[in-house]
Every structure is written in structure tokens, then in C-alpha cells.
């Protein structure tokens, strides 16, 4: 009974992954399965003494793995979790001169850090609502884009009630956008927003975009500002690709 439940759980996890995986990852999985199957068959034949059949199979599998060295890289990035410099996808990060805001790709949780001003070096999660409102009012006057970014955190963490407590009022961040706007997006910024490595392909860009946009659904405390930045990052990285 326990074995059947475990098999069903594994099947569910596998089907869920297949439903959301980019085409490139599906191709990698298929290639891994084929090479692994050939290698296993070759080992079995070698152990049972059928050397004339085993050697060609083993050589073919090993040569295929050598030619397709991305198999090891794919396993490191997608199954072992990667690490710094491994190319593994990270959290989505939107930066302004005043704030760094991070959206966790899995949980959808928002976190942020203040880069300058009276609260420089402080995490947004450590600030009281009064402190956040004071910071927002400063940003509404100093840097509209940063104010709009902070709105996303306030809306998600404190709901709409915070707006009734600020003299700046809703939309002040948008009104102040002319004061130090973000300017044109760069490739590095687009990759950071989608949490992608430098060598990400078009399928990985689309996959990251889909996952992040789902996290910004209104039922999840969605942010039109972050959604716009994520859409802009996708469009930038896919420009000229087919």
C-alpha cells in the first residue's frame, strides 16, 4: 500500500514538472533517459559476458555524454540546485537607486532592502508601518520609480489600508516618475528581473516569465508595476529571437 502511494506521489510530481517545463528541458530529459538506458544495457551485457554487443553500446553512450556535456550542466542547474556561478536561476530582483526588491520565484514572497537615505541598509521587513510610510513619502518626492516599487511591498504586506495613512496618497509614486526615472533597460537588468543566468535561452526566458507573472496575480497581492517590469524584461531578452 505504501509503495502504491509513493508511486502515485512520484507520478504526480513528475507530471506537474512536465506540464510546466520548457521544451528545452524536456529535450534534455529525453536525451538523458536515452543515454542512460543505452549505458545500463551496455553494462548489463558487459557483466553477462556479451562483450561484442556491450562494447559498442558503452562506447556510444560515453561518446554521446561527452559530446553532450550540457547533460552534466543541466543536472547541476535543475536537479542539484546549482550554486553561485553555476548558472542556476535565482530570485527575481528589481533595483532602483533607492531600493532592491526581490520576488521569490517559488513562494512569491517579496523582500526588499533600502540602499540610501535615513533607512539605508535596513530590510523592509524590519521596518514598522510608520517607518515604511515615512520612507514612501520621501520617495514620492525624490524618486517616483522607487516609490512605485515600495507601493508593491506595502500593498502586499499591509493591504490598501496603508494608503489612508499617508499624505502622499495613492499614485504619488507614479506622479513623481519624472524625477530620476529608471531609463532604458539593460540586458543585465532584464536577466536580474527574471532571475536568469547569462546563457538563458528563449524557452527559459518564457518559462521564468510565466512563473513570475503567476505570482503577481491579484489573488496573490499582484503588482502592476512589477508585472510591467517583468514583461519589459521578457520583451527585451526575446527581441530579435524567433
Amino acid at each position: 500500500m505504501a509503495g502504491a502511494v509513493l508511486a502515485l506521489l512520484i507520478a504526480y510530481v513528475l507530471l506537474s514538472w512536465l506540464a510546466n517545463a520548457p521544451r528545452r528541458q524536456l529535450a534534455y530529459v529525453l536525451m538523458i533517459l536515452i543515454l542512460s538506458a543505452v549505458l545500463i544495457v551496455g553494462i548489463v551485457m558487459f557483466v553477462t559476458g556479451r562483450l561484442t554487443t556491450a562494447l559498442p553500446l558503452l562506447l556510444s553512450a560515453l561518446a554521446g555524454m561527452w559530446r553532450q556535456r550540457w547533460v552534466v550542466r543541466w543536472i547541476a542547474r535543475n536537479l542539484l540546485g546549482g550554486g553561485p556561478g553555476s548558472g542556476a536561476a535565482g530570485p527575481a530582483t528589481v533595483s532602483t537607486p533607492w531600493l532592491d526588491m526581490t520576488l521569490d520565484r517559488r513562494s512569491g514572497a517579496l523582500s526588499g532592502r533600502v540602499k540610501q537615505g535615513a533607512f539605508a541598509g535596513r530590510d523592509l521587513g524590519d521596518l514598522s508601518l510608520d517607518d515604511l510610510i515615512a520612507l514612501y513619502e520621501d520617495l514620492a518626492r525624490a524618486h517616483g520609480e522607487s516609490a512605485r516599487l515600495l507601493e508593491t511591498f506595502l500593498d502586499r504586506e499591509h493591504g490598501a489600508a496603508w494608503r489612508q495613512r499617508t499624505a502622499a496618497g495613492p499614485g504619488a509614486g507614479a506622479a513623481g516618475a519624472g524625477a530620476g526615472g529608471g531609463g532604458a533597460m539593460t540586458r543585465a537588468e532584464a536577466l536580474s528581473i527574471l532571475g536568469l543566468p547569462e546563457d538563458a535561452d528563449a524557452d527559459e526566458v518564457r518559462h521564468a516569465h510565466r512563473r513570475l507573472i503567476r505570482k503577481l496575480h491579484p489573488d496573490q497581492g499582484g503588482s502592476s508595476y512589477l508585472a510591467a517590469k517583468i514583461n519589459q524584461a521578457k520583451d527585451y531578452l526575446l527581441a530579435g529571437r524567433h
Side-chain angles (χ1 to χ4, degrees):
M1 180 66 180
V5 172
L6 180 60
L8 288 173
L9 180 61
I10 293 173
Y12 173 78
V13 172
L14 180 60
L15 289 174
S16 298
W17 181 84
L18 289 173
N20 294 292
R23 289 191 299 274
R24 187 185 185 194
Q25 289 192 7
L26 293 176
Y28 285 0
V29 170
L30 180 60
M31 180 63 71
I32 291 170
L33 291 175
I34 292 172
L35 291 174
S36 299
V38 172
L39 183 63
I40 291 171
V41 171
I43 291 173
V44 170
M45 290 189 171
F46 182 83
V47 171
T48 56
R50 288 175 282 183
L51 299 182
T52 56
T53 304
L55 290 177
L57 289 175
L58 289 173
L59 290 174
S60 297
L62 293 174
M65 290 179 177
W66 175 254
R67 286 197 303 270
Q68 306 294 339
R69 288 187 292 274
W70 47 256
V71 170
V72 176
R73 181 169 163 230
W74 184 90
I75 292 174
R77 282 174 57 173
N78 295 277
L79 300 184
L80 302 181
S86 68
T93 301
V94 178
S95 296
T96 72
W98 285 77
L99 298 172
D100 284 330
M101 193 77 73
T102 299
L103 175 67
D104 187 90
R105 291 161 59 92
R106 294 188 177 181
S107 68
L110 269 180
S111 60
R113 190 170 183 83
V114 185
K115 297 163 70 174
Q116 60 175 297
F119 300 104
R122 301 280 301 276
D123 290 333
L124 295 179
D126 294 335
L127 298 179
S128 67
L129 180 55
D130 287 338
D131 288 340
L132 289 169
I133 290 174
L135 175 62
Y136 175 78
E137 291 177 339
D138 287 343
L139 294 181
R141 291 186 293 267
H143 194 261
E145 186 180 10
S146 297
R148 291 197 303 277
L149 187 56
L150 183 57
E151 283 181 6
T152 68
F153 181 85
L154 284 164
D155 284 338
R156 179 164 290 198
E157 297 298 317
H158 298 282
W162 71 270
R163 297 180 181 273
Q164 300 172 4
R165 296 182 52 182
T166 173
M185 182 171 289
T186 64
R187 177 175 174 82
E189 182 183 3
L191 291 170
S192 177
I193 288 172
L194 294 181
L196 291 172
E198 176 64 33
D199 60 349
D201 66 10
D203 277 345
E204 289 170 318
V205 170
R206 295 186 184 97
H207 181 60
H209 174 265
R210 278 198 308 272
R211 290 192 63 180
L212 289 171
I213 285 295
R214 281 202 298 267
K215 301 299 182 185
L216 295 174
H217 188 276
D219 291 343
Q220 303 293 329
S223 159
S224 58
Y225 174 77
L226 280 183
K229 296 292 285 185
I230 289 169
N231 286 333
Q232 184 184 2
K234 181 200 74 169
D235 292 343
Y236 180 95
L237 293 173
L238 293 181
R241 297 195 189 190
H242 300 284

